[in-house]
Each structure stands twice: as C-alpha cells, then as structure tokens.
C-alpha cells in the first residue's frame, strides 16, 4: 500500500508539471507577441523625434511676435530696437532650417557629442527672470482664433535666441568702444587735458579756443567729471546739439543706463538727482537763473559755441559775469572754434586763462562755383532753383566711385529752400539709386533728426540738406563733401508789422570756415562754395550780434523779472545802442508790463513767463 501511494503521488505531480509547462505552440505565440510589442514601442519612440523634427522645421516665432514682445520686450533698456531683434530672429530661424535639412540628409550617428562646440557657453550674460514669470506675461490664449499656444520649451528657446542677440550687440559695442578709446587718445584736446584741469583749479574763467575737430565739446565735460566735479552744466545754442552730445558723452563714459549724463531742453528732459553732466539750452539756463538766482545746482558752467552771439547767449554772459561776483566757487569755461579771444578775455578781466587747442582737420579742397544769374531762379514764388545743387551730386557720382565712402552736406538758409532742394535731390536719387536724401532743421522731430546719424548701406551716399544747425557742435560721421550756399536766415526787426522775423543774410567768414571744416573731420574732403572769392572777402569777419539787430522788449522784461535793478547798467559784452534800450522800456510801459517808475506789473510778470514776442 505504501509503495502504491508513493507511485500515485509521483504520477500526479508529474502530470501537474506537464500541464503547467507551456507547449511549443504557446512558446511561439508568446515570442511573436513580445517581438511585436517591442517593435511597436520602437516605432512610437522613433515617431516622437520625427514629429518634433517636423515641428521644429515648420515652427516660426514670427507667428507669435505679439506675444513674445509682451513677454521679453517690455523693458526698453533690454531691447532698444525691437525691429532689429526680429531681423536677427528671422536670420536665426533660416539658419536653423538649413541645419535641420543637413541633419535629415546625413545618417544618424550614436556618438555621445563629446568635444562638440556649444555656442551658448560662450555668452557672457544671462537673464535672471524665472520661467514662471515669463509664462505669466503671456496673454490669454483663444483656441478659436489663435494657433497652437507657446510652450515652455518655446519660451526657453526664444530666451536663448535673445541672449545670442544681446551677446552680439554687446560685442559690437565693445568693438566700437575699443576704437573709440583709440580715437579719444588721438584727439588734439587730449594733449591739453592736464593743462585744462590745472587752469580750472587755479582760475574762475577759462577760455578754450579749440579749432574745429579738436574734440572740446565731448571731452572737456568728461575731463571735469573724472576730476571730481559732480554738477556740470554745458550750454548749447540748439536742442539737437544738447541731445546728440548727451548721447555721445554717455556712450563714451559707459553711463547710458546710469543717468550720469543727461540733457534738458524746453518741454523735455532726461536727468535726475544722479546726473553729473547736463547739456542744456541757453534760454533754459537763463530761466533757471531767474528762479534760483545763483544757479546753486552747478559747480561748473561750460558755455559752448559762444561765438554765435545769440540774444540769450549774450544775456547769459552778463548773468554769468554777475554770478562770479556772488559765488567765488563757481567755474566758468567758454569754448568756441572761432572765438574773438581779445574781446572775451577783456570782458572777463585779466585773470582769465586762455588755452588754444589746434584742430585736427584733414586736407580740404576748396572750389568756388558762383551761381550764374540764369540759375538763381526768377519765379513769382521766388523758390530756390535746386539745379546747382543737383549738378554737384551728379559731379560727385561721375568723379568718385560708389565703393568710395563719402556723404554730402548742403547748407541752406531756411525750410523752403531745403524743401526745394530735397525734392529735386530725391528725383535724382530715384534715377541713380545711389543716394539717401535727408532734411535737417529745428522743426523736425527728434527721431527724424537722428536719421542723419545712421550709416547708409554699402555703395549708397547720404545727402543731408540742412540749415546752420549742422554748422557747429553736431558732428555727422562720414561727411566728405560740403556745399555752402553762403546764406543764413537770422532774426531781424520788421518795422511794418512791428515784430521780429527771419531775414536772409550773407554769413560771416568765421561761419564759412566752420562750414568748410565739416568736410575734414574724418578724412580728406571737398568744399564747394556757391559764391565767388570776392563775395567771400566782402563778408564780415564775425557774425553780427543778435542784440544789435532785434528789439530788446522781451529781453529787458526778462531781466527786470529776474530782479535786476536797472537794465541800462547791465554788463553786456557789446552794449546795444542806448536809444534801443529806451525804446524797449517805452514799449514795455505801453503794453502795461512796467509802471511809470519802471517796476514790474502783474501783467508784466505774466508776460515774462511766456516765450513769445511781446506784441503777441
């Protein structure tokens, strides 16, 4: 029995093992199913990168321009030119498409990527904004109208592109800065840096007679700031000079985002409490003097282009001279290329220090091309005939090859003359396709005025048609040719309407030399004078002061409103005729601005705050 029970248990266990072991057919089915699962997972894995590859090839950030601008371009200090950024993005995407096409043509390799070049590791800056904050800036997504929404990976990729762009701009700035430092060291005024600073420590009034191109307008304020002077005012006769000089000095001192260098003009300012150098118009500094009395906000006052002898400029000279008797700590620097050294040094006294700085003008060829009577234009509207100016453009095209750099600057007297020449020059440029014609005058917006500083494309020349606004202070790089009409419009008194009006006059010889010097700032140049050599010799040596051409009603009203006791005793550098002052005082009494004993009335106080002629 025992043996029989053991035999039965062994047989039953054997039968159970055989039943649990899979058959040959089931083995084949299992292997087939396993291999099919492996192949399907492999297909899914291979289809995923293929799908990503196709999306990367067809995807474009241009479709999401609005959203990405809201995310990354809210800070104007980060991206100053948004259009330039998107041009870079377009080039980047085209380069990425070509790279993906090459990858699809080449067989895939399983190398680990060791030793490959990673461009992102060469970037010297980063953006600290977190991804969550970037995503929060995205506008709401509308599934009915919008395409596929931007993903986190898309935002990170665009942030990398933005870093590439900022890194490129930074390297461009460093390259420009290197060249700038070299050019600063080569400026003639740099050889007189120590002499200027020593004179500022020793004297209260310094006259810098620096020839055109010596670098006085941009470098002297920097010398003062580096020497420890923290409140510097630099006056300019024109608004465009204040803005362009402040931008230039801020770039050279690496303080574009620190507000150490700013400007202030009427209705606009770019300065704060940290500003150490401020470029300001003469009229605005006068109004500050009327409010504060002693200009306590400034340690150094730099009066640039004092040779122009504007009405506000001459008045400011007298105010500064009075200020020197009240404040012994203030420093005054007068600068000009064509200054009458004897006149100004005698005006401020024997303690005035004079520093003469030679210029760095390149050779300039001078051509006299007087306009014949037939070309002067005799229409009823007296519109200027632009033919002589277009002929010079044609002459430049014939004589100089297009690949030879050199822009043209034309000096005219007023806006109507500029309009006539610009219209004709644009018609000529449409035929030749070799010129970019730009007007330049004071009524243009700041954005339109800044266009003259842009560089033209290769093989294209700029033609800038300007008033005397480009005669001083403003330096436009690339000017090689200058056309001087010899005319300027200045304020003069019209006895018929009893108001001031612009009237055309011949320029002075000093102004003619200033205009000629524009052609030799960056290289050898050519100057065409559209008048004869005899007419040049007949010009006055210096510009007639505006104070001797116009009525002094508004000026005397401003003087009395500042608290000056007697306008007749004001220390003008060149006093106007006595009868002109008496006539102005009688006119102020007639308009109710002054009482009988020459005191300011309420109406006069109100009129002194309005920047218009008194009859208006």
């Amino acid at each position: 029995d025992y043996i029989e029970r053991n035999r039965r248990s062994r047989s039953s266990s054997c039968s159970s093992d055989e039943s649990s072991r899979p058959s040959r057919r089931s083995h084949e089915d299992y292997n087939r199913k396993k291999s099919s699962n492996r192949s399907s997972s492999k297909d899914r894995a291979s289809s995923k990168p293929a799908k990503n590859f196709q999306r990367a090839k067809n995807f474009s950030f241009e479709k999401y321009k609005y959203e990405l601008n809201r995310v990354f371009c809210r800070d104007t200090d980060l991206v100053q030119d948004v259009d330039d950024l998107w041009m870079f993005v377009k080039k980047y995407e085209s380069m990425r498409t070509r790279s993906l096409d090459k990858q699809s043509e080449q067989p895939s390799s399983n190398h680990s990527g060791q030793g490959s070049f990673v461009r992102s590791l060469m970037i010297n800056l980063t953006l600290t904004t977190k991804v969550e904050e970037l995503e929060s800036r995205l506008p709401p997504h509308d599934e009915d109208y919008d395409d596929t929404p931007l993903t986190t990976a898309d935002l990170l990729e665009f942030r990398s592109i933005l870093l590439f762009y900022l890194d490129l701009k930074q390297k461009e700035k460093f390259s420009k800065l290197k060249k700038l430092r070299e050019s600063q060291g080569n400026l003639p005024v740099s050889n007189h840096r120590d002499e200027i600073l020593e004179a500022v420590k020793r004297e209260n009034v310094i006259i810098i007679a620096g020839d055109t191109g010596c670098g006085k307008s941009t470098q002297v304020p920097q010398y003062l700031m580096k020497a420890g002077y923290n409140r510097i005012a630099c006056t300019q006769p024109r608004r465009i000079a204040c803005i362009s000089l402040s931008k230039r000095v801020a770039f050279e001192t690496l303080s574009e985002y620190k507000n150490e260098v700013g400007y202030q003009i009427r209705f606009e300012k770019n300065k704060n409490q940290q500003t150490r150098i401020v470029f300001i118009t003469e009229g605005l500094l006068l109004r500050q003097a009327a409010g504060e009395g002693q200009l306590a906000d400034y340690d150094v006052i730099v009066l640039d282009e004092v040779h122009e002898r504007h009405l506000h400029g001459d008045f400011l000279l007298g105010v500064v001279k009075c200020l020197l008797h009240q404040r012994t700590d203030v420093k005054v620097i007068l600068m000009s290329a064509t200054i009458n050294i004897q006149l100004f040094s005698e005006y401020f006294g024997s303690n005035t220090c004079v520093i003469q700085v030679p210029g760095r003008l390149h050779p300039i060829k001078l051509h006299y091309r007087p306009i014949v009577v037939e070309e002067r234009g005799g229409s009823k509207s007296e519109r200027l005939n632009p033919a002589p100016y277009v002929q010079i453009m044609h002459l430049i095209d014939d004589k100089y090859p297009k690949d030879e750099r050199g822009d043209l600057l034309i000096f005219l007297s007023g806006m109507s003359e500029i309009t006539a020449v610009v219209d004709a020059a644009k018609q000529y440029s449409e035929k030749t396709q070799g010129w970019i014609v730009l007007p330049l005058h004071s009524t243009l917006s700041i954005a339109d005025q800044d266009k003259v500083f842009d560089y033209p494309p290769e093989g294209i020349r700029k033609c800038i048609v300007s008033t005397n606004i480009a005669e001083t202070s403003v330096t436009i790089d690339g000017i090689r040719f200058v056309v001087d009409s010899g005319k300027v419009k200045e304020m003069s008194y019209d006895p018929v309407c009893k108001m001031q009006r612009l009237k055309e006059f011949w320029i002075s010889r000093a102004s003619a030399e200033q205009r000629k010097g524009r052609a030799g700032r960056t290289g050898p140049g050519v100057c065409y004078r559209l008048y004869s050599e005899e007419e040049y010799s007949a010009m006055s040596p210096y510009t007639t002061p505006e104070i001797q051409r116009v009525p002094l009603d508004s000026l005397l009203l401003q003087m009395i409103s500042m608290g000056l006791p007697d306008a007749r005793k004001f220390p003008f550098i060149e006093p106007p005729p006595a009868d002109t002052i008496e006539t102005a005082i009688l006119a102020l009494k007639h308009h109710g601005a002054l009482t009988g004993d020459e005191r300011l009335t309420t109406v006069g106080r109100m009129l002194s705050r309005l920047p218009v002629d008194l009859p208006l």
Side-chain angles (χ1 to χ4, degrees):
D1 293 338
Y2 174 77
I3 295 171
E4 183 66 24
R5 281 197 303 270
N6 287 339
R7 187 182 63 78
R8 287 177 180 175
S9 65
R10 283 196 304 270
S11 64
S12 62
S13 64
C14 291
S15 62
S16 64
D17 290 341
E18 288 178 0
S19 63
S20 64
R21 187 182 302 135
S23 65
R24 181 178 185 132
R25 172 176 260 175
S26 61
H27 262 299
E28 293 175 354
D29 293 340
Y30 174 77
N31 291 333
R32 193 181 303 112
K33 186 176 182 181
K34 188 175 182 181
S35 63
S36 65
N37 289 337
R38 192 184 298 117
S39 63
S40 63
S41 63
K42 189 181 295 183
D43 291 340
R44 284 196 303 270
S46 62
S47 64
K48 188 174 182 180
K51 187 176 181 180
N52 291 338
F53 175 83
Q54 193 64 27
R55 183 182 185 275
K57 188 175 180 180
N58 297 329
F59 180 81
S60 175
F61 287 108
E62 287 278 347
K63 298 179 181 178
Y64 304 93
K65 190 172 183 178
Y66 170 74
E67 292 86 350
L68 292 171
N69 281 341
R70 286 193 58 177
V71 174
F72 292 98
C73 301
R74 300 197 314 180
D75 188 359
T76 55
D77 290 338
L78 182 65
V79 181
Q80 296 179 340
D81 191 347
V82 179
D83 295 333
D84 186 57
L85 168 64
W86 283 103
M87 288 178 61
F88 179 84
V89 172
K90 188 175 181 181
K91 293 179 181 179
Y92 176 88
E93 289 183 333
S94 64
M95 184 178 66
R96 182 187 60 182
T97 303
R98 291 196 299 269
S99 177
L100 291 174
D101 290 339
K102 290 182 180 179
Q103 290 181 16
S104 62
E105 295 173 0
Q106 296 176 356
S108 59
S109 58
N110 296 324
H111 62 81
S112 61
Q114 294 182 355
S116 59
F117 176 75
V118 182
R119 178 69 179 83
S120 60
L121 298 179
M122 303 293 292
I123 296 178
N124 298 320
L125 48 89
T126 185
L127 296 178
T128 58
T129 308
K130 296 181 179 180
V131 180
E132 292 78 9
E133 184 179 348
L134 295 178
E135 291 177 339
S136 66
R137 297 177 183 177
L138 282 170
H141 175 66
D142 191 345
E143 297 181 356
D144 296 333
Y145 297 98
D146 297 342
D147 294 333
T148 307
L150 287 168
T151 63
T152 303
D154 296 332
L155 291 177
L156 292 175
E157 184 181 0
F158 192 84
R159 186 170 70 173
S160 300
I161 297 173
L162 180 60
L163 284 174
F164 286 139
Y165 171 77
L166 295 176
D167 183 63
L168 174 65
K169 292 300 174 183
Q170 186 186 57
K171 286 181 170 58
E172 288 179 354
K173 283 189 176 182
F174 284 161
S175 177
K176 291 180 180 178
L177 190 62
K178 182 181 178 182
K179 295 179 181 177
L180 178 65
R181 292 290 180 255
E182 295 174 354
S183 63
Q184 281 181 305
N186 295 328
L187 287 172
V189 73
S190 64
N191 299 324
H192 299 264
R193 178 180 180 274
D194 296 336
E195 182 183 359
I196 293 172
L197 294 178
E198 187 62 32
V200 172
K201 291 179 182 179
R202 191 177 62 252
E203 305 291 346
N204 287 93
V205 181
I206 300 94
I207 297 176
I208 300 177
D211 290 344
T212 301
C214 72
K216 58 186 182 300
S217 298
T218 57
Q219 303 307 307
V220 171
Q222 296 183 52
Y223 298 160
L224 295 171
M225 185 175 71
K226 292 177 181 178
Y229 297 96
N230 294 321
R231 299 181 300 173
I232 306 166
C234 303
T235 66
Q236 293 293 330
R238 298 176 183 85
R239 295 185 303 164
I240 185 176
C242 291
I243 298 172
S244 61
L245 283 173
S246 68
K247 290 180 178 179
R248 180 70 178 185
V249 174
F251 174 73
E252 292 186 2
T253 55
L254 303 180
S255 59
E256 291 177 286
Y257 307 108
K258 297 180 183 179
N259 290 319
E260 288 187 349
V261 182
Y263 66 88
Q264 186 171 4
I265 58 179
R266 185 183 295 175
F267 307 129
E268 184 179 350
K269 69 176 181 178
N270 181 22
K271 57 173 268 190
N272 55 25
Q273 293 181 349
Q274 285 75 38
T275 303
R276 300 176 62 186
I277 301 175
V278 57
F279 289 89
I280 186 171
T281 53
E282 297 167 342
L284 202 54
L285 188 63
L286 275 174
R287 292 194 173 273
Q288 290 184 4
E292 301 169 6
Q294 296 185 2
L295 296 174
D297 288 341
Y298 306 113
D299 297 329
V300 183
I301 300 175
V302 181
L303 306 180
D304 200 3
E305 310 299 347
V306 292
H307 70 278
E308 295 199 10
R309 306 295 306 278
H310 293 294
L311 191 64
H312 286 151
D314 278 8
F315 183 25
L316 187 59
L317 285 171
V319 172
V320 167
K321 185 175 182 179
C322 296
L323 181 64
L324 288 170
H325 294 287
Q326 300 174 358
R327 289 183 56 190
T328 58
D329 61 324
V330 70
K331 305 292 184 179
V332 179
I333 301 177
L334 312 176
M335 300 195 302
S336 175
T338 55
I339 188 172
N340 190 336
I341 296 176
Q342 182 179 357
L343 174 67
F344 281 84
S345 58
E346 290 178 354
Y347 176 67
F348 281 99
S350 58
N351 293 328
T352 303
C353 178
V354 179
I355 300 175
Q356 291 185 309
V357 182
R360 193 190 59 177
L361 283 179
H362 297 272
I364 300 175
K365 294 182 179 179
L366 186 60
H367 300 281
Y368 288 94
R369 292 172 58 93
I371 301 176
V372 296
V373 179
E374 291 78 8
E375 292 181 342
R376 293 185 184 274
S379 60
K380 294 181 180 179
S381 61
E382 297 183 357
R383 184 179 173 92
L384 177 74
N385 183 12
Y389 303 92
V390 178
Q391 289 174 5
I392 292 178
M393 295 174 66
H394 184 53
L395 177 66
I396 293 171
D397 285 338
D398 289 344
K399 192 171 182 180
Y400 303 93
K402 287 188 176 182
D403 57 351
E404 196 173 310
R405 286 280 186 179
D407 300 328
L408 173 64
L409 176 60
I410 299 176
F411 284 102
L412 296 174
S413 59
M415 286 181 55
S416 60
E417 292 79 8
I418 288 176
T419 303
V421 174
V422 166
D423 292 342
K426 285 184 176 180
Q427 292 179 3
Y428 175 75
S429 66
E430 290 176 0
K431 297 178 182 178
T432 61
Q433 298 296 319
W435 292 87
I436 295 176
V437 183
L438 298 170
L440 179 61
H441 48 81
S442 59
T443 60
L444 290 174
S445 64
I446 296 175
D448 289 335
Q449 289 178 353
D450 286 343
K451 291 180 181 178
V452 301
F453 300 105
D454 296 335
Y455 290 95
E458 192 71 28
I460 305 295
R461 301 183 192 273
K462 278 190 305 185
C463 175
I464 301 169
V465 189
S466 172
T467 59
N468 62 341
I469 194 174
E471 187 176 307
T472 56
S473 297
V474 179
T475 298
I476 305 172
D477 291 336
I479 297 297
R480 184 180 175 185
F481 308 99
V482 167
V483 178
D484 181 12
S485 64
K487 298 295 181 66
V488 65
K489 285 186 178 178
E490 296 175 336
M491 296 298 295
S492 62
Y493 181 68
D494 189 346
V496 177
C497 60
K498 297 182 179 180
M499 288 180 60
Q500 300 182 54
R501 61 184 289 265
L502 286 172
K503 188 177 179 181
E504 193 173 71
F505 296 96
W506 281 102
I507 62 174
S508 64
R509 291 200 296 270
S511 294
E513 291 302 311
Q514 284 273 13
R515 294 183 177 187
K516 185 185 76 171
R518 298 289 107 180
R521 297 294 290 267
T522 56
V526 182
C527 177
Y528 299 94
R529 287 176 172 169
L530 301 187
Y531 46 88
S532 65
E533 196 168 356
E534 290 76 16
E535 289 173 322
Y536 171 77
S537 301
M539 294 177 180
S540 61
Y542 296 101
T543 303
T544 304
E546 188 177 0
I547 200 170
Q548 298 180 5
R549 301 193 311 264
V550 299
L552 306 178
D553 309 1
S554 300
L555 180 63
L556 294 186
L557 182 61
Q558 190 174 359
M559 293 170 61
I560 297 172
S561 67
M562 290 175 62
L564 297 176
D566 190 355
R568 301 175 183 86
K569 299 179 181 179
F570 186 78
F572 290 105
I573 185 171
E574 286 183 313
D579 57 344
T580 305
I581 296 179
E582 296 300 330
T583 303
I585 292 176
L586 290 175
L588 290 175
K589 292 180 180 180
H590 173 72
H591 290 291
L594 294 180
T595 61
D597 55 353
E598 299 180 6
R599 292 186 179 183
L600 194 66
T601 64
T602 305
V603 175
R605 187 174 293 105
M606 185 183 301
L607 291 173
S608 66
R609 298 173 184 172
L610 299 177
V612 295
D613 284 344
L614 204 60
L616 293 177

